Amino acid sequence: MKEIRSRANNLDFERPLVTVDVVIFSVLDDALKVLLVRRPDDAQEPFPGRWALPGGFVNVEKDRSLEDCAARKLKEKTGVSAPYLEQLGSWGDAVRDPRGWSATHAYFALIHVPTDHEKAGRRGSADSQWVQVDEVNRKRLAFDHPQILAAAIARLRAKVEYTSLPAFLLAETFTLPQLQHTYEVVLGRAVDKSAFRKRMLDAGFLEEAGMAQGPFGRVAMGYRIRNRDQAATFPRTFKAVE
Amino acid sequence: MKEIRSRANNLDFERPLVTVDVVIFSVLDDALKVLLVRRPDDAQEPFPGRWALPGGFVNVEKDRSLEDCAARKLKEKTGVSAPYLEQLGSWGDAVRDPRGWSATHAYFALIHVPTDHEKAGRRGSADSQWVQVDEVNRKRLAFDHPQILAAAIARLRAKVEYTSLPAFLLAETFTLPQLQHTYEVVLGRAVDKSAFRKRMLDAGFLEEAGMAQGPFGRVAMGYRIRNRDQAATFPRTFKAVE
DNA sequence: ATAATAGTGTCTCTCAGACACTATTAA
DNA sequence: TTAATAGTGTCTGAGAGACACTATTAT
């Protein structure tokens, strides 16, 4: 392994490799899914051909900041440019990457994938695929990505109990029944309609956005997130523990 | 800016500087304080003589992981070896360090400083000092440490509302009135004794540890944290929002 | 009309907070 | 005894959940 040396300041020690990885969640076909990419088959690369989280090295010329870097990777893989993006954590040690001491900054994104959006891989392609979160263990992910992904899923499941995060998994405008359905998909259980509506409306993070007509039944009020930079938090969890 | 490309593995690009910083909290003299260190006066160094969070470069020979590195820095500055240590986040961009593109992994520690513990700086020394969190703005901190510290304080204040974190600011065994006092110091407001006791005991994260006699009054039950690796979370916040 | 979906009203039960009360210690 | 602190009992009010009800649409 080679070191980058310099003169003046005492900066001549070996620097770790620095990467960014993004855990991208979306709800597709009534299931919570995560986007995985296939690593190159090149035998020079670590974990050739294995599935992994989208990510890569920080480019000190192109990336102004870590968050920029994460947003860039997300844009490259999905085309989405205004997602919910939050930092998940960092993982760094001597052995996680065979190429040397490395540290990755993991981000956590919630996006909406339009139904008719085939090319960016609604179904998937040879080198990228949406995988249901409870089936992701069947893939043998590269690096320490199983841990990172597990942390992301745990964080999402925890925050869904007391924040408005699932709203970011929907299109820009959505109805309360759609939002409730998204909550139920992520929580893995049904919630009471009346309590749900009270909670969402009282939290004040929604603004009305005209009526929305579905294929059947009564028209519903459409809503939009008032401030997409920040999720709302509720004073209680969804179902008090017994 | 240089970019050296090569054949085999494409690892010949400039790597960011990688550091770890630790925000160390403790309650001293009935106030929430944070430990700051003074940067060397050497004019070659960035921000000479300014106050900063304890931290430094990751040493790929000495540190097995980022968390190891944080624990090492904490041990060096305070002597404490079994603290509550959690990751706060990472900050990385082209300009935060004048020496070049750098990324820091910030950690968040809660420790107890014994009253008679003078040397590691209960009062402070020439190059390290415990500063009350609401007076920290008066110091002109180095780097982007004002943001990092603000994030740490926000995180602590938020989590105190629904977790057992303040228990880690006390000695190994403590009484419920002591714990309540710690909560009140961190929250900055009084809480009801009866509700507080119910909440703590029902959460089940404490175990009895014999009676503890104070200077006056009735003896109190001493408690210990059942599992120091993890904080308990309560299903509601302390005071529901109006 | 019916089926399907959206949205509301009401009751109940839990539980946190308020606060007054009792208990135990030292002096 | 008093002062000081530890710990408990009881009431109440807010609010989440349960669930039945009404409202609006397409066919």
Side-chain angles (χ1 to χ4, degrees), chain A residues 222-233:
Chain A
Y223 292 92
R224 192 181 7 248
I225 297 173
R226 212 185 274 283
N227 172 13
R228 293 191 67 88
D229 294 335
Q230 197 182 336
T233 66

PDB file of all heavy atoms in Angstrom, chain A residues 222-233:
ATOM      1  N   GLY A 222     -55.837  15.566  -1.187  1.00  0.00           N
ATOM      2  CA  GLY A 222     -54.412  15.367  -1.400  1.00  0.00           C
ATOM      3  C   GLY A 222     -53.612  16.225  -0.434  1.00  0.00           C
ATOM      4  O   GLY A 222     -54.063  17.302  -0.024  1.00  0.00           O
ATOM      5  N   TYR A 223     -52.485  15.743  -0.042  1.00  0.00           N
ATOM      6  CA  TYR A 223     -51.616  16.494   0.865  1.00  0.00           C
ATOM      7  C   TYR A 223     -50.205  16.529   0.319  1.00  0.00           C
ATOM      8  O   TYR A 223     -49.806  15.708  -0.511  1.00  0.00           O
ATOM      9  CB  TYR A 223     -51.607  15.870   2.265  1.00  0.00           C
ATOM     10  CG  TYR A 223     -52.917  15.991   2.982  1.00  0.00           C
ATOM     11  CD1 TYR A 223     -53.875  14.979   2.886  1.00  0.00           C
ATOM     12  CD2 TYR A 223     -53.200  17.111   3.756  1.00  0.00           C
ATOM     13  CE1 TYR A 223     -55.081  15.089   3.541  1.00  0.00           C
ATOM     14  CE2 TYR A 223     -54.415  17.228   4.418  1.00  0.00           C
ATOM     15  CZ  TYR A 223     -55.349  16.214   4.304  1.00  0.00           C
ATOM     16  OH  TYR A 223     -56.548  16.328   4.951  1.00  0.00           O
ATOM     17  N   ARG A 224     -49.449  17.476   0.848  1.00  0.00           N
ATOM     18  CA  ARG A 224     -48.058  17.669   0.486  1.00  0.00           C
ATOM     19  C   ARG A 224     -47.300  17.889   1.788  1.00  0.00           C
ATOM     20  O   ARG A 224     -47.871  18.396   2.766  1.00  0.00           O
ATOM     21  CB  ARG A 224     -47.972  18.936  -0.377  1.00  0.00           C
ATOM     22  CG  ARG A 224     -46.683  19.154  -1.068  1.00  0.00           C
ATOM     23  CD  ARG A 224     -46.634  20.437  -1.906  1.00  0.00           C
ATOM     24  NE  ARG A 224     -47.767  21.335  -1.804  1.00  0.00           N
ATOM     25  CZ  ARG A 224     -48.636  21.568  -2.792  1.00  0.00           C
ATOM     26  NH1 ARG A 224     -48.505  20.948  -3.942  1.00  0.00           N
ATOM     27  NH2 ARG A 224     -49.624  22.440  -2.614  1.00  0.00           N
ATOM     28  N   ILE A 225     -46.019  17.524   1.814  1.00  0.00           N
ATOM     29  CA  ILE A 225     -45.200  17.787   3.006  1.00  0.00           C
ATOM     30  C   ILE A 225     -44.862  19.271   3.048  1.00  0.00           C
ATOM     31  O   ILE A 225     -44.407  19.835   2.062  1.00  0.00           O
ATOM     32  CB  ILE A 225     -43.911  16.950   2.962  1.00  0.00           C
ATOM     33  CG1 ILE A 225     -44.242  15.459   2.984  1.00  0.00           C
ATOM     34  CG2 ILE A 225     -43.000  17.317   4.129  1.00  0.00           C
ATOM     35  CD1 ILE A 225     -43.040  14.571   2.770  1.00  0.00           C
ATOM     36  N   ARG A 226     -45.119  19.878   4.198  1.00  0.00           N
ATOM     37  CA  ARG A 226     -44.916  21.316   4.311  1.00  0.00           C
ATOM     38  C   ARG A 226     -43.433  21.682   4.182  1.00  0.00           C
ATOM     39  O   ARG A 226     -43.079  22.637   3.519  1.00  0.00           O
ATOM     40  CB  ARG A 226     -45.430  21.768   5.682  1.00  0.00           C
ATOM     41  CG  ARG A 226     -45.997  23.162   5.723  1.00  0.00           C
ATOM     42  CD  ARG A 226     -46.359  23.527   7.142  1.00  0.00           C
ATOM     43  NE  ARG A 226     -47.700  23.094   7.533  1.00  0.00           N
ATOM     44  CZ  ARG A 226     -48.822  23.718   7.170  1.00  0.00           C
ATOM     45  NH1 ARG A 226     -48.775  24.776   6.396  1.00  0.00           N
ATOM     46  NH2 ARG A 226     -49.991  23.282   7.584  1.00  0.00           N
ATOM     47  N   ASN A 227     -42.590  20.907   4.846  1.00  0.00           N
ATOM     48  CA  ASN A 227     -41.161  21.207   4.824  1.00  0.00           C
ATOM     49  C   ASN A 227     -40.374  19.929   4.568  1.00  0.00           C
ATOM     50  O   ASN A 227     -40.210  19.097   5.466  1.00  0.00           O
ATOM     51  CB  ASN A 227     -40.748  21.836   6.164  1.00  0.00           C
ATOM     52  CG  ASN A 227     -39.250  21.996   6.286  1.00  0.00           C
ATOM     53  OD1 ASN A 227     -38.531  21.862   5.303  1.00  0.00           O
ATOM     54  ND2 ASN A 227     -38.781  22.254   7.481  1.00  0.00           N
ATOM     55  N   ARG A 228     -39.864  19.789   3.347  1.00  0.00           N
ATOM     56  CA  ARG A 228     -39.206  18.534   2.985  1.00  0.00           C
ATOM     57  C   ARG A 228     -37.810  18.394   3.574  1.00  0.00           C
ATOM     58  O   ARG A 228     -37.142  17.368   3.381  1.00  0.00           O
ATOM     59  CB  ARG A 228     -39.122  18.398   1.453  1.00  0.00           C
ATOM     60  CG  ARG A 228     -40.479  18.230   0.779  1.00  0.00           C
ATOM     61  CD  ARG A 228     -40.335  17.846  -0.679  1.00  0.00           C
ATOM     62  NE  ARG A 228     -39.763  16.523  -0.839  1.00  0.00           N
ATOM     63  CZ  ARG A 228     -40.469  15.397  -0.861  1.00  0.00           C
ATOM     64  NH1 ARG A 228     -41.774  15.425  -0.750  1.00  0.00           N
ATOM     65  NH2 ARG A 228     -39.870  14.241  -1.026  1.00  0.00           N
ATOM     66  N   ASP A 229     -37.330  19.405   4.255  1.00  0.00           N
ATOM     67  CA  ASP A 229     -35.988  19.310   4.817  1.00  0.00           C
ATOM     68  C   ASP A 229     -35.955  18.579   6.149  1.00  0.00           C
ATOM     69  O   ASP A 229     -34.890  18.280   6.680  1.00  0.00           O
ATOM     70  CB  ASP A 229     -35.398  20.715   5.039  1.00  0.00           C
ATOM     71  CG  ASP A 229     -35.180  21.419   3.729  1.00  0.00           C
ATOM     72  OD1 ASP A 229     -35.025  20.717   2.714  1.00  0.00           O
ATOM     73  OD2 ASP A 229     -35.179  22.660   3.719  1.00  0.00           O
ATOM     74  N   GLN A 230     -37.138  18.351   6.704  1.00  0.00           N
ATOM     75  CA  GLN A 230     -37.133  17.821   8.048  1.00  0.00           C
ATOM     76  C   GLN A 230     -38.383  17.010   8.309  1.00  0.00           C
ATOM     77  O   GLN A 230     -39.480  17.409   7.911  1.00  0.00           O
ATOM     78  CB  GLN A 230     -37.082  19.001   9.027  1.00  0.00           C
ATOM     79  CG  GLN A 230     -36.660  18.620  10.415  1.00  0.00           C
ATOM     80  CD  GLN A 230     -36.678  19.834  11.323  1.00  0.00           C
ATOM     81  OE1 GLN A 230     -36.578  20.959  10.848  1.00  0.00           O
ATOM     82  NE2 GLN A 230     -36.819  19.618  12.603  1.00  0.00           N
ATOM     83  N   ALA A 231     -38.228  15.885   8.982  1.00  0.00           N
ATOM     84  CA  ALA A 231     -39.385  15.066   9.326  1.00  0.00           C
ATOM     85  C   ALA A 231     -40.007  15.592  10.612  1.00  0.00           C
ATOM     86  O   ALA A 231     -39.326  16.166  11.451  1.00  0.00           O
ATOM     87  CB  ALA A 231     -38.952  13.615   9.501  1.00  0.00           C
ATOM     88  N   ALA A 232     -41.312  15.381  10.754  1.00  0.00           N
ATOM     89  CA  ALA A 232     -41.987  15.737  12.006  1.00  0.00           C
ATOM     90  C   ALA A 232     -41.816  14.601  13.004  1.00  0.00           C
ATOM     91  O   ALA A 232     -41.663  13.438  12.624  1.00  0.00           O
ATOM     92  CB  ALA A 232     -43.463  15.982  11.731  1.00  0.00           C
ATOM     93  N   THR A 233     -41.834  14.939  14.289  1.00  0.00           N
ATOM     94  CA  THR A 233     -41.792  13.879  15.300  1.00  0.00           C
ATOM     95  C   THR A 233     -43.034  13.981  16.168  1.00  0.00           C
ATOM     96  O   THR A 233     -43.490  15.065  16.488  1.00  0.00           O
ATOM     97  CB  THR A 233     -40.542  13.959  16.191  1.00  0.00           C
ATOM     98  OG1 THR A 233     -40.620  15.155  16.965  1.00  0.00           O
ATOM     99  CG2 THR A 233     -39.279  13.982  15.370  1.00  0.00           C
TER     100      THR A 233
END
